[in-house]
Amino acid sequence: MELHYGARFRKVASVHLRDMRLIVMCSNELRPHISEVEKARKATGIANIIGNKGGLMIKLKVYDTRLCFLSCHLHAHESQKMVVTRNQDLVEILKGASNSLKLRLDVAQRFDHTFLFGDLNYRTDVTSLESKSDEEHHQLVAQMIKNGEYEKLVRSDQLKREMAANRALVGFQETKINFPPTFKVVRGSIQEYANHRIPSYCDRILFSSLPGLEHRIIQTVYDSAHLVTSSDHKPVYSLFDVDTSPEELADATAREHLSLLEILNMGKDKQELQLQILNLSTHNVNEEIQNCSSFIFKCNSVVCTDKKVQTDVCDKPEWSKKISINLKPSQARHLLGTHLFITLWDASTTNKLLAQGTLSLDPWTRLDRCEYFEMRMSRFGVYCGNLCGTMQIIAK
């Protein structure tokens, strides 16, 4: 890889699982600013042991921006049963990556920006198009490809359907697909599809950002390498612009945060600040949470002085009492772009995560401003319910 890309680039990290490979490269100029590099792998083949299917992960920090790269190869075939299997593959990969890195948090909600890509194997849904047989369906899809009706074809995509139903990759997004299906192509051809498979968008690139950081990433290219003819898949590629510069409560850029700035600019950097959460409650929760009888809420943020803040055990997924979290005065200028992670745990078992939500602290950087919030909660890419409450930052 280094030979192919030339002397300006070098390898940051690589990880493999049988025939799967994930390699992260960077320019020589950027390498000194990359830290906290870790990698993990998770097999989802037979008995979740065989590595012909699974996921690879590399996480790192560029300056102060945390990035995660997840490469996946999910189970194949077109039936609805295999859709469920692919969804479960994603859960196992995200869960396995979290466990390998000892995060105790959902890896999909842990990094500023997460990129998930690979042969996800979701297919064009036979039952969603007006056709009476596989042959007719293949002809219909082939005609749509010939006409360049990619947007219409994508509406029949299994992954789009599962994401819209919150059954897979909650929080992830995919830019508009404006290229032909990537599978199953006759080897050696530019765009000839095998008759025994419905042309499908098996190969995908998705990404997610923590709340409040969406504006710091722009996807500029998303396309397939249609001239590659050595495989029955067409590779896909993408380019992103990611802003890694720090966001601070600077005088010239944060008029709406004057209350907190006044304290900082008066030299009171040692002023004690406290984040207060009130009236936590959940609604539209999944069956697992409904069937649970004891709960604990936990809160965590890099700007908290306490490593662990949690409620007492409660018999419902709600907490009416005040939760007080002391903030590090030295980190006050860095509240912009900072997040609070709220997790819901089954108190009757050990380390059983039920759901996680992530909240940007940007709206609360004005002191004594009590604001209502509501956020979606998920676990390993699957929707679990909504969490709401009120929150404010006060000077003690």
Side-chain angles (χ1 to χ4, degrees), residues 144-183:
M144 293 168 65
I145 295 171
K146 184 178 180 180
N147 295 340
E149 298 177 294
Y150 306 135
E151 185 174 353
K152 184 177 179 181
L153 188 58
V154 167
R155 289 201 293 266
S156 302
D157 175 66
Q158 291 175 341
L159 178 57
K160 292 291 189 184
R161 181 188 65 196
E162 296 304 296
M163 291 176 66
N166 289 321
R167 290 189 290 261
L169 298 181
V170 167
F172 282 84
Q173 61 177 302
E174 182 181 30
T175 302
K176 180 180 178 180
I177 294 176
N178 196 27
F179 50 84
T182 62
F183 176 85

mmCIF file of all heavy atoms in Angstrom, residues 144-183:
data_model
loop_
_atom_site.group_PDB
_atom_site.id
_atom_site.type_symbol
_atom_site.label_atom_id
_atom_site.label_comp_id
_atom_site.label_asym_id
_atom_site.label_seq_id
_atom_site.Cartn_x
_atom_site.Cartn_y
_atom_site.Cartn_z
ATOM 1 N N MET A 144 -34.706 -0.458 -15.305
ATOM 2 C CA MET A 144 -34.527 0.721 -14.452
ATOM 3 C C MET A 144 -33.066 1.170 -14.456
ATOM 4 O O MET A 144 -32.766 2.374 -14.478
ATOM 5 C CB MET A 144 -34.991 0.406 -13.028
ATOM 6 C CG MET A 144 -36.499 0.167 -12.925
ATOM 7 S SD MET A 144 -36.998 -0.538 -11.324
ATOM 8 C CE MET A 144 -36.590 0.791 -10.213
ATOM 9 N N ILE A 145 -32.141 0.200 -14.446
ATOM 10 C CA ILE A 145 -30.720 0.537 -14.496
ATOM 11 C C ILE A 145 -30.391 1.202 -15.829
ATOM 12 O O ILE A 145 -29.681 2.217 -15.879
ATOM 13 C CB ILE A 145 -29.865 -0.728 -14.293
ATOM 14 C CG1 ILE A 145 -30.078 -1.297 -12.882
ATOM 15 C CG2 ILE A 145 -28.381 -0.417 -14.523
ATOM 16 C CD1 ILE A 145 -29.435 -2.654 -12.678
ATOM 17 N N LYS A 146 -30.914 0.634 -16.923
ATOM 18 C CA LYS A 146 -30.670 1.188 -18.252
ATOM 19 C C LYS A 146 -31.181 2.618 -18.358
ATOM 20 O O LYS A 146 -30.554 3.476 -18.995
ATOM 21 C CB LYS A 146 -31.343 0.307 -19.306
ATOM 22 C CG LYS A 146 -31.077 0.732 -20.735
ATOM 23 C CD LYS A 146 -31.733 -0.224 -21.718
ATOM 24 C CE LYS A 146 -31.462 0.210 -23.159
ATOM 25 N NZ LYS A 146 -32.099 -0.729 -24.136
ATOM 26 N N ASN A 147 -32.307 2.904 -17.686
ATOM 27 C CA ASN A 147 -32.905 4.239 -17.729
ATOM 28 C C ASN A 147 -32.282 5.198 -16.715
ATOM 29 O O ASN A 147 -32.670 6.370 -16.653
ATOM 30 C CB ASN A 147 -34.415 4.157 -17.477
ATOM 31 C CG ASN A 147 -35.146 3.397 -18.567
ATOM 32 O OD1 ASN A 147 -34.632 3.249 -19.679
ATOM 33 N ND2 ASN A 147 -36.333 2.892 -18.249
ATOM 34 N N GLY A 148 -31.354 4.679 -15.897
ATOM 35 C CA GLY A 148 -30.732 5.519 -14.865
ATOM 36 C C GLY A 148 -31.681 5.873 -13.737
ATOM 37 O O GLY A 148 -31.492 6.907 -13.073
ATOM 38 N N GLU A 149 -32.677 5.025 -13.472
ATOM 39 C CA GLU A 149 -33.677 5.297 -12.424
ATOM 40 C C GLU A 149 -33.183 4.764 -11.073
ATOM 41 O O GLU A 149 -33.836 3.949 -10.428
ATOM 42 C CB GLU A 149 -35.012 4.654 -12.800
ATOM 43 C CG GLU A 149 -35.613 5.197 -14.086
ATOM 44 C CD GLU A 149 -36.896 4.486 -14.466
ATOM 45 O OE1 GLU A 149 -36.841 3.275 -14.775
ATOM 46 O OE2 GLU A 149 -37.953 5.143 -14.446
ATOM 47 N N TYR A 150 -32.034 5.267 -10.651
ATOM 48 C CA TYR A 150 -31.409 4.753 -9.440
ATOM 49 C C TYR A 150 -32.206 5.125 -8.189
ATOM 50 O O TYR A 150 -32.316 4.328 -7.251
ATOM 51 C CB TYR A 150 -29.980 5.274 -9.328
ATOM 52 C CG TYR A 150 -29.146 4.990 -10.553
ATOM 53 C CD1 TYR A 150 -28.335 5.980 -11.111
ATOM 54 C CD2 TYR A 150 -29.163 3.738 -11.164
ATOM 55 C CE1 TYR A 150 -27.564 5.730 -12.246
ATOM 56 C CE2 TYR A 150 -28.403 3.480 -12.296
ATOM 57 C CZ TYR A 150 -27.610 4.480 -12.833
ATOM 58 O OH TYR A 150 -26.862 4.234 -13.955
ATOM 59 N N GLU A 151 -32.756 6.317 -8.166
ATOM 60 C CA GLU A 151 -33.522 6.740 -6.997
ATOM 61 C C GLU A 151 -34.736 5.840 -6.783
ATOM 62 O O GLU A 151 -35.050 5.454 -5.652
ATOM 63 C CB GLU A 151 -33.967 8.189 -7.162
ATOM 64 C CG GLU A 151 -34.679 8.752 -5.938
ATOM 65 C CD GLU A 151 -34.990 10.230 -6.078
ATOM 66 O OE1 GLU A 151 -34.533 10.854 -7.069
ATOM 67 O OE2 GLU A 151 -35.685 10.762 -5.193
ATOM 68 N N LYS A 152 -35.401 5.471 -7.865
ATOM 69 C CA LYS A 152 -36.549 4.566 -7.780
ATOM 70 C C LYS A 152 -36.107 3.186 -7.326
ATOM 71 O O LYS A 152 -36.781 2.526 -6.523
ATOM 72 C CB LYS A 152 -37.241 4.488 -9.133
ATOM 73 C CG LYS A 152 -38.501 3.642 -9.153
ATOM 74 C CD LYS A 152 -39.155 3.682 -10.527
ATOM 75 C CE LYS A 152 -40.416 2.820 -10.557
ATOM 76 N NZ LYS A 152 -41.055 2.844 -11.909
ATOM 77 N N LEU A 153 -34.967 2.747 -7.816
ATOM 78 C CA LEU A 153 -34.445 1.432 -7.448
ATOM 79 C C LEU A 153 -34.054 1.391 -5.974
ATOM 80 O O LEU A 153 -34.299 0.391 -5.276
ATOM 81 C CB LEU A 153 -33.235 1.108 -8.332
ATOM 82 C CG LEU A 153 -32.647 -0.300 -8.239
ATOM 83 C CD1 LEU A 153 -33.698 -1.341 -8.562
ATOM 84 C CD2 LEU A 153 -31.461 -0.426 -9.198
ATOM 85 N N VAL A 154 -33.457 2.462 -5.467
ATOM 86 C CA VAL A 154 -33.029 2.518 -4.074
ATOM 87 C C VAL A 154 -34.229 2.417 -3.122
ATOM 88 O O VAL A 154 -34.096 1.914 -2.002
ATOM 89 C CB VAL A 154 -32.224 3.810 -3.818
ATOM 90 C CG1 VAL A 154 -32.035 4.060 -2.332
ATOM 91 C CG2 VAL A 154 -30.860 3.725 -4.498
ATOM 92 N N ARG A 155 -35.393 2.870 -3.564
ATOM 93 C CA ARG A 155 -36.581 2.776 -2.703
ATOM 94 C C ARG A 155 -36.951 1.330 -2.404
ATOM 95 O O ARG A 155 -37.716 1.064 -1.468
ATOM 96 C CB ARG A 155 -37.761 3.494 -3.362
ATOM 97 C CG ARG A 155 -37.621 5.011 -3.377
ATOM 98 C CD ARG A 155 -38.972 5.684 -3.561
ATOM 99 N NE ARG A 155 -39.545 5.443 -4.878
ATOM 100 C CZ ARG A 155 -39.397 6.267 -5.928
ATOM 101 N NH1 ARG A 155 -38.679 7.378 -5.801
ATOM 102 N NH2 ARG A 155 -39.964 5.976 -7.084
ATOM 103 N N SER A 156 -36.432 0.394 -3.198
ATOM 104 C CA SER A 156 -36.693 -1.026 -2.962
ATOM 105 C C SER A 156 -35.539 -1.719 -2.243
ATOM 106 O O SER A 156 -35.507 -2.943 -2.155
ATOM 107 C CB SER A 156 -36.954 -1.728 -4.302
ATOM 108 O OG SER A 156 -38.034 -1.147 -4.974
ATOM 109 N N ASP A 157 -34.617 -0.927 -1.729
ATOM 110 C CA ASP A 157 -33.432 -1.476 -1.076
ATOM 111 C C ASP A 157 -33.745 -1.916 0.350
ATOM 112 O O ASP A 157 -34.382 -1.200 1.125
ATOM 113 C CB ASP A 157 -32.335 -0.410 -1.074
ATOM 114 C CG ASP A 157 -31.116 -0.844 -0.304
ATOM 115 O OD1 ASP A 157 -30.446 -1.791 -0.747
ATOM 116 O OD2 ASP A 157 -30.831 -0.241 0.758
ATOM 117 N N GLN A 158 -33.294 -3.115 0.703
ATOM 118 C CA GLN A 158 -33.569 -3.660 2.036
ATOM 119 C C GLN A 158 -32.935 -2.824 3.139
ATOM 120 O O GLN A 158 -33.547 -2.611 4.193
ATOM 121 C CB GLN A 158 -33.057 -5.103 2.120
ATOM 122 C CG GLN A 158 -33.820 -6.093 1.270
ATOM 123 C CD GLN A 158 -33.192 -7.475 1.306
ATOM 124 O OE1 GLN A 158 -32.018 -7.643 1.665
ATOM 125 N NE2 GLN A 158 -33.958 -8.489 0.930
ATOM 126 N N LEU A 159 -31.717 -2.345 2.949
ATOM 127 C CA LEU A 159 -31.054 -1.571 3.999
ATOM 128 C C LEU A 159 -31.790 -0.265 4.252
ATOM 129 O O LEU A 159 -31.965 0.140 5.406
ATOM 130 C CB LEU A 159 -29.595 -1.295 3.608
ATOM 131 C CG LEU A 159 -28.794 -0.449 4.612
ATOM 132 C CD1 LEU A 159 -28.786 -1.089 5.995
ATOM 133 C CD2 LEU A 159 -27.369 -0.214 4.113
ATOM 134 N N LYS A 160 -32.208 0.428 3.200
ATOM 135 C CA LYS A 160 -32.974 1.659 3.374
ATOM 136 C C LYS A 160 -34.232 1.391 4.188
ATOM 137 O O LYS A 160 -34.611 2.176 5.067
ATOM 138 C CB LYS A 160 -33.341 2.250 2.012
ATOM 139 C CG LYS A 160 -32.163 2.772 1.206
ATOM 140 C CD LYS A 160 -31.565 4.025 1.838
ATOM 141 C CE LYS A 160 -30.537 4.653 0.924
ATOM 142 N NZ LYS A 160 -29.866 5.827 1.551
ATOM 143 N N ARG A 161 -34.887 0.284 3.901
ATOM 144 C CA ARG A 161 -36.113 -0.075 4.622
ATOM 145 C C ARG A 161 -35.836 -0.354 6.091
ATOM 146 O O ARG A 161 -36.569 0.116 6.973
ATOM 147 C CB ARG A 161 -36.749 -1.308 3.969
ATOM 148 C CG ARG A 161 -38.057 -1.760 4.613
ATOM 149 C CD ARG A 161 -38.497 -3.090 4.037
ATOM 150 N NE ARG A 161 -37.546 -4.147 4.370
ATOM 151 C CZ ARG A 161 -37.512 -5.330 3.761
ATOM 152 N NH1 ARG A 161 -38.334 -5.588 2.756
ATOM 153 N NH2 ARG A 161 -36.632 -6.242 4.121
ATOM 154 N N GLU A 162 -34.770 -1.089 6.378
ATOM 155 C CA GLU A 162 -34.445 -1.433 7.760
ATOM 156 C C GLU A 162 -34.026 -0.204 8.552
ATOM 157 O O GLU A 162 -34.368 -0.056 9.727
ATOM 158 C CB GLU A 162 -33.348 -2.492 7.794
ATOM 159 C CG GLU A 162 -33.742 -3.829 7.176
ATOM 160 C CD GLU A 162 -34.990 -4.407 7.808
ATOM 161 O OE1 GLU A 162 -34.961 -4.724 9.014
ATOM 162 O OE2 GLU A 162 -36.012 -4.533 7.092
ATOM 163 N N MET A 163 -33.304 0.702 7.914
ATOM 164 C CA MET A 163 -32.897 1.934 8.594
ATOM 165 C C MET A 163 -34.105 2.828 8.855
ATOM 166 O O MET A 163 -34.215 3.442 9.930
ATOM 167 C CB MET A 163 -31.852 2.669 7.761
ATOM 168 C CG MET A 163 -30.508 1.953 7.682
ATOM 169 S SD MET A 163 -29.303 2.782 6.607
ATOM 170 C CE MET A 163 -29.022 4.311 7.510
ATOM 171 N N ALA A 164 -35.020 2.911 7.896
ATOM 172 C CA ALA A 164 -36.219 3.731 8.073
ATOM 173 C C ALA A 164 -37.096 3.202 9.203
ATOM 174 O O ALA A 164 -37.771 3.974 9.894
ATOM 175 C CB ALA A 164 -37.014 3.778 6.770
ATOM 176 N N ALA A 165 -37.052 1.885 9.424
ATOM 177 C CA ALA A 165 -37.839 1.257 10.494
ATOM 178 C C ALA A 165 -37.076 1.206 11.812
ATOM 179 O O ALA A 165 -37.565 0.621 12.780
ATOM 180 C CB ALA A 165 -38.255 -0.152 10.078
ATOM 181 N N ASN A 166 -35.878 1.801 11.861
ATOM 182 C CA ASN A 166 -35.051 1.836 13.073
ATOM 183 C C ASN A 166 -34.616 0.455 13.546
ATOM 184 O O ASN A 166 -34.371 0.247 14.733
ATOM 185 C CB ASN A 166 -35.780 2.558 14.212
ATOM 186 C CG ASN A 166 -35.888 4.048 13.977
ATOM 187 O OD1 ASN A 166 -34.961 4.676 13.488
ATOM 188 N ND2 ASN A 166 -37.025 4.625 14.322
ATOM 189 N N ARG A 167 -34.521 -0.480 12.595
ATOM 190 C CA ARG A 167 -34.084 -1.834 12.958
ATOM 191 C C ARG A 167 -32.593 -2.057 12.718
ATOM 192 O O ARG A 167 -32.046 -3.098 13.104
ATOM 193 C CB ARG A 167 -34.898 -2.875 12.173
ATOM 194 C CG ARG A 167 -36.353 -2.974 12.584
ATOM 195 C CD ARG A 167 -37.032 -4.156 11.932
ATOM 196 N NE ARG A 167 -37.220 -3.974 10.507
ATOM 197 C CZ ARG A 167 -38.347 -3.576 9.933
ATOM 198 N NH1 ARG A 167 -39.403 -3.286 10.699
ATOM 199 N NH2 ARG A 167 -38.451 -3.460 8.619
ATOM 200 N N ALA A 168 -31.935 -1.085 12.097
ATOM 201 C CA ALA A 168 -30.501 -1.233 11.820
ATOM 202 C C ALA A 168 -29.871 0.140 11.640
ATOM 203 O O ALA A 168 -30.460 1.049 11.049
ATOM 204 C CB ALA A 168 -30.274 -2.079 10.558
ATOM 205 N N LEU A 169 -28.664 0.292 12.175
ATOM 206 C CA LEU A 169 -27.810 1.466 11.962
ATOM 207 C C LEU A 169 -28.511 2.785 12.270
ATOM 208 O O LEU A 169 -28.439 3.752 11.493
ATOM 209 C CB LEU A 169 -27.272 1.458 10.527
ATOM 210 C CG LEU A 169 -26.377 0.263 10.160
ATOM 211 C CD1 LEU A 169 -25.887 0.377 8.722
ATOM 212 C CD2 LEU A 169 -25.203 0.131 11.111
ATOM 213 N N VAL A 170 -29.208 2.819 13.399
ATOM 214 C CA VAL A 170 -29.834 4.059 13.853
ATOM 215 C C VAL A 170 -28.758 5.127 14.051
ATOM 216 O O VAL A 170 -27.726 4.875 14.665
ATOM 217 C CB VAL A 170 -30.605 3.827 15.171
ATOM 218 C CG1 VAL A 170 -30.996 5.149 15.815
ATOM 219 C CG2 VAL A 170 -31.841 2.975 14.903
ATOM 220 N N GLY A 171 -28.993 6.310 13.511
ATOM 221 C CA GLY A 171 -28.036 7.400 13.624
ATOM 222 C C GLY A 171 -27.095 7.528 12.446
ATOM 223 O O GLY A 171 -26.433 8.549 12.283
ATOM 224 N N PHE A 172 -27.028 6.489 11.605
ATOM 225 C CA PHE A 172 -26.177 6.541 10.420
ATOM 226 C C PHE A 172 -26.949 7.139 9.246
ATOM 227 O O PHE A 172 -28.176 7.117 9.213
ATOM 228 C CB PHE A 172 -25.668 5.147 10.042
ATOM 229 C CG PHE A 172 -24.528 4.670 10.889
ATOM 230 C CD1 PHE A 172 -24.762 4.064 12.118
ATOM 231 C CD2 PHE A 172 -23.214 4.832 10.471
ATOM 232 C CE1 PHE A 172 -23.718 3.629 12.911
ATOM 233 C CE2 PHE A 172 -22.158 4.398 11.258
ATOM 234 C CZ PHE A 172 -22.412 3.795 12.485
ATOM 235 N N GLN A 173 -26.215 7.666 8.298
ATOM 236 C CA GLN A 173 -26.821 8.214 7.094
ATOM 237 C C GLN A 173 -26.013 7.820 5.877
ATOM 238 O O GLN A 173 -24.850 7.420 5.969
ATOM 239 C CB GLN A 173 -26.920 9.735 7.176
ATOM 240 C CG GLN A 173 -25.584 10.443 7.308
ATOM 241 C CD GLN A 173 -25.727 11.950 7.315
ATOM 242 O OE1 GLN A 173 -26.256 12.529 6.370
ATOM 243 N NE2 GLN A 173 -25.262 12.589 8.393
ATOM 244 N N GLU A 174 -26.660 7.924 4.727
ATOM 245 C CA GLU A 174 -26.013 7.610 3.464
ATOM 246 C C GLU A 174 -26.421 8.665 2.452
ATOM 247 O O GLU A 174 -27.597 8.974 2.303
ATOM 248 C CB GLU A 174 -26.423 6.221 2.977
ATOM 249 C CG GLU A 174 -25.748 5.793 1.698
ATOM 250 C CD GLU A 174 -26.202 4.415 1.231
ATOM 251 O OE1 GLU A 174 -27.365 4.052 1.514
ATOM 252 O OE2 GLU A 174 -25.405 3.714 0.596
ATOM 253 N N THR A 175 -25.431 9.228 1.774
ATOM 254 C CA THR A 175 -25.705 10.215 0.738
ATOM 255 C C THR A 175 -26.434 9.556 -0.424
ATOM 256 O O THR A 175 -26.377 8.341 -0.618
ATOM 257 C CB THR A 175 -24.389 10.851 0.256
ATOM 258 O OG1 THR A 175 -23.726 11.440 1.371
ATOM 259 C CG2 THR A 175 -24.635 11.928 -0.775
ATOM 260 N N LYS A 176 -27.121 10.350 -1.196
ATOM 261 C CA LYS A 176 -27.893 9.854 -2.333
ATOM 262 C C LYS A 176 -27.044 8.969 -3.236
ATOM 263 O O LYS A 176 -25.926 9.315 -3.616
ATOM 264 C CB LYS A 176 -28.439 11.039 -3.129
ATOM 265 C CG LYS A 176 -29.274 10.630 -4.341
ATOM 266 C CD LYS A 176 -29.775 11.858 -5.084
ATOM 267 C CE LYS A 176 -30.573 11.463 -6.314
ATOM 268 N NZ LYS A 176 -31.070 12.657 -7.050
ATOM 269 N N ILE A 177 -27.587 7.810 -3.580
ATOM 270 C CA ILE A 177 -26.919 6.881 -4.493
ATOM 271 C C ILE A 177 -27.258 7.274 -5.925
ATOM 272 O O ILE A 177 -28.425 7.287 -6.312
ATOM 273 C CB ILE A 177 -27.351 5.429 -4.212
ATOM 274 C CG1 ILE A 177 -26.857 4.990 -2.826
ATOM 275 C CG2 ILE A 177 -26.833 4.492 -5.288
ATOM 276 C CD1 ILE A 177 -27.312 3.602 -2.424
ATOM 277 N N ASN A 178 -26.237 7.575 -6.695
ATOM 278 C CA ASN A 178 -26.440 7.985 -8.081
ATOM 279 C C ASN A 178 -25.541 7.170 -9.010
ATOM 280 O O ASN A 178 -24.899 7.705 -9.916
ATOM 281 C CB ASN A 178 -26.167 9.484 -8.237
ATOM 282 C CG ASN A 178 -26.729 10.031 -9.538
ATOM 283 O OD1 ASN A 178 -27.699 9.508 -10.088
ATOM 284 N ND2 ASN A 178 -26.092 11.068 -10.062
ATOM 285 N N PHE A 179 -25.507 5.870 -8.744
ATOM 286 C CA PHE A 179 -24.726 4.962 -9.578
ATOM 287 C C PHE A 179 -25.447 3.621 -9.639
ATOM 288 O O PHE A 179 -26.326 3.341 -8.821
ATOM 289 C CB PHE A 179 -23.298 4.797 -9.033
ATOM 290 C CG PHE A 179 -23.211 4.475 -7.562
ATOM 291 C CD1 PHE A 179 -23.320 3.170 -7.103
ATOM 292 C CD2 PHE A 179 -23.012 5.486 -6.627
ATOM 293 C CE1 PHE A 179 -23.224 2.863 -5.756
ATOM 294 C CE2 PHE A 179 -22.919 5.200 -5.276
ATOM 295 C CZ PHE A 179 -23.029 3.888 -4.834
ATOM 296 N N PRO A 180 -25.102 2.755 -10.611
ATOM 297 C CA PRO A 180 -25.814 1.479 -10.775
ATOM 298 C C PRO A 180 -25.547 0.533 -9.610
ATOM 299 O O PRO A 180 -24.577 0.699 -8.853
ATOM 300 C CB PRO A 180 -25.237 0.921 -12.087
ATOM 301 C CG PRO A 180 -24.557 2.062 -12.752
ATOM 302 C CD PRO A 180 -24.091 2.972 -11.660
ATOM 303 N N PRO A 181 -26.385 -0.487 -9.440
ATOM 304 C CA PRO A 181 -26.136 -1.513 -8.419
ATOM 305 C C PRO A 181 -24.744 -2.127 -8.558
ATOM 306 O O PRO A 181 -24.216 -2.251 -9.667
ATOM 307 C CB PRO A 181 -27.244 -2.545 -8.691
ATOM 308 C CG PRO A 181 -28.344 -1.745 -9.297
ATOM 309 C CD PRO A 181 -27.660 -0.715 -10.138
ATOM 310 N N THR A 182 -24.187 -2.522 -7.437
ATOM 311 C CA THR A 182 -22.796 -2.991 -7.423
ATOM 312 C C THR A 182 -22.666 -4.508 -7.500
ATOM 313 O O THR A 182 -21.545 -5.028 -7.558
ATOM 314 C CB THR A 182 -22.103 -2.489 -6.151
ATOM 315 O OG1 THR A 182 -22.781 -3.042 -5.001
ATOM 316 C CG2 THR A 182 -22.152 -0.961 -6.077
ATOM 317 N N PHE A 183 -23.796 -5.232 -7.508
ATOM 318 C CA PHE A 183 -23.769 -6.706 -7.466
ATOM 319 C C PHE A 183 -25.026 -7.215 -8.178
ATOM 320 O O PHE A 183 -26.077 -6.573 -8.108
ATOM 321 C CB PHE A 183 -23.746 -7.157 -6.011
ATOM 322 C CG PHE A 183 -23.805 -8.648 -5.807
ATOM 323 C CD1 PHE A 183 -22.647 -9.416 -5.851
ATOM 324 C CD2 PHE A 183 -25.010 -9.294 -5.562
ATOM 325 C CE1 PHE A 183 -22.699 -10.790 -5.655
ATOM 326 C CE2 PHE A 183 -25.064 -10.665 -5.364
ATOM 327 C CZ PHE A 183 -23.902 -11.404 -5.407
#
